Amino acid sequence: MRYKIAYSPGECRETDGWMQVGATHIERHGERRLVGELHPGVLVVEGGRVQTMLSFGDEVEPLPDDMHEAFTIPGTQAQIAADRFGDLVDFAALSRYFDGPHRIRNELPRGAWARPTWTACVVAGRPVLAVRATHFTTEPGSRTLVCELYPGILVLEKYGVCSVLTYGNSVELLPPRSDERLAMAGGQAVSAAIEFGRHMSSQPGAWPPPRWARGRT
């Protein structure tokens, strides 16, 4: 279902298992269905499909500046998009790893598939990824949740991405049964993947540092 909207393209709203998506693109041909880039490079299409820019980019064009419309998708479609985005993010990490010099092309890095699962949700009108926190910051001031998204790579709620080399002494593990969650932007996930691949490529077999106590089981 389409809606005329008064908020920015790409903005989303969530209610009762459905997500209202501000369209960012429209199909070039055929039914000219609305399309929303829910996460970087991942498109949800009016009517139920999930595509990527790699396979579908030539079939869409940006929505005209004077066209402000939205469409609704079920929560299951939003989660499929989040999972597809996860595949792309993991691929980015492994691509950086395999691009390293003298890399054995058929050998996966240790811990390559240890990324925790995430859930599609909306915060302040933006599609984000909810993930279980593994740590919290110990610096004076407000307590910030942290997720070790990849081995040795930390995502801080609202504050970006860093490695345990620079920030490991500033966090502590949450209790094992803690179910606290943080909302992460897609860009943070991409940055974490690239950072993980870079460290794995430059320090094969030695990442994360042996002294680092990881926060995931």
Side-chain angles (χ1 to χ4, degrees):
M1 183 181 298
R2 300 190 181 196
Y3 299 86
K4 286 289 184 180
I5 59 176
Y7 50 98
S8 301
E11 190 170 345
C12 298
R13 297 174 184 175
E14 186 178 30
T15 179
D16 296 331
W18 293 81
M19 186 179 292
Q20 185 174 334
V21 180
T24 57
H25 297 75
I26 191 168
E27 286 185 319
R28 292 180 183 272
H29 312 291
E31 298 179 23
R32 301 278 289 174
R33 285 169 293 195
L34 296 174
V35 178
E37 187 172 7
L38 201 62
H39 303 290
V42 177
L43 308 171
V44 290
V45 183
E46 184 180 21
R49 285 186 296 156
V50 175
Q51 301 282 358
T52 68
M53 276 292 191
L54 291 174
S55 62
F56 202 63
D58 290 340
E59 303 298 322
V60 299
E61 59 188 28
L63 205 68
D65 292 339
D66 60 349
M67 188 175 178
H68 300 284
E69 294 199 41
F71 58 101
T72 58
I73 62 173
T76 52
Q77 186 181 357
Q79 186 58 44
I80 290 171
D83 294 340
R84 185 74 60 83
F85 177 64
D87 293 340
L88 295 179
V89 168
D90 289 338
F91 181 77
L94 291 178
S95 295
R96 180 61 64 93
Y97 170 74
F98 284 121
D99 283 345
H102 312 300
R103 189 67 56 237
I104 300 174
R105 298 290 174 175
N106 60 355
E107 180 180 323
L108 291 173
R110 176 171 55 90
W113 302 109
R115 176 181 59 78
T117 58
W118 51 46
T119 304
C121 63
V122 174
V123 174
R126 296 298 175 188
V128 295
L129 305 161
V131 64
R132 186 175 70 85
T134 56
H135 298 74
F136 64 95
T137 58
T138 58
E139 295 177 337
S142 60
R143 177 177 180 268
T144 300
L145 293 175
V146 178
C147 174
E148 187 182 3
L149 192 65
Y150 290 96
I153 305 299
L154 307 176
V155 172
L156 282 68
E157 186 174 34
K158 302 178 183 179
Y159 291 104
V161 174
C162 56
S163 79
V164 297
L165 294 178
T166 58
Y167 211 72
N169 292 331
S170 301
V171 299
E172 287 188 8
L173 281 168
L174 285 166
R177 295 186 179 181
S178 171
D179 195 33
E180 293 189 81
R181 303 177 72 80
L182 61 90
M184 173 180 59
Q188 287 178 284
V190 172
S191 295
I194 293 174
E195 187 77 358
F196 174 60
R198 184 178 68 83
H199 282 291
M200 289 296 299
S201 181
S202 62
Q203 303 175 65
W207 187 264
R211 67 182 182 275
W212 169 248
R214 287 176 54 194
R216 286 178 276 118
T217 57

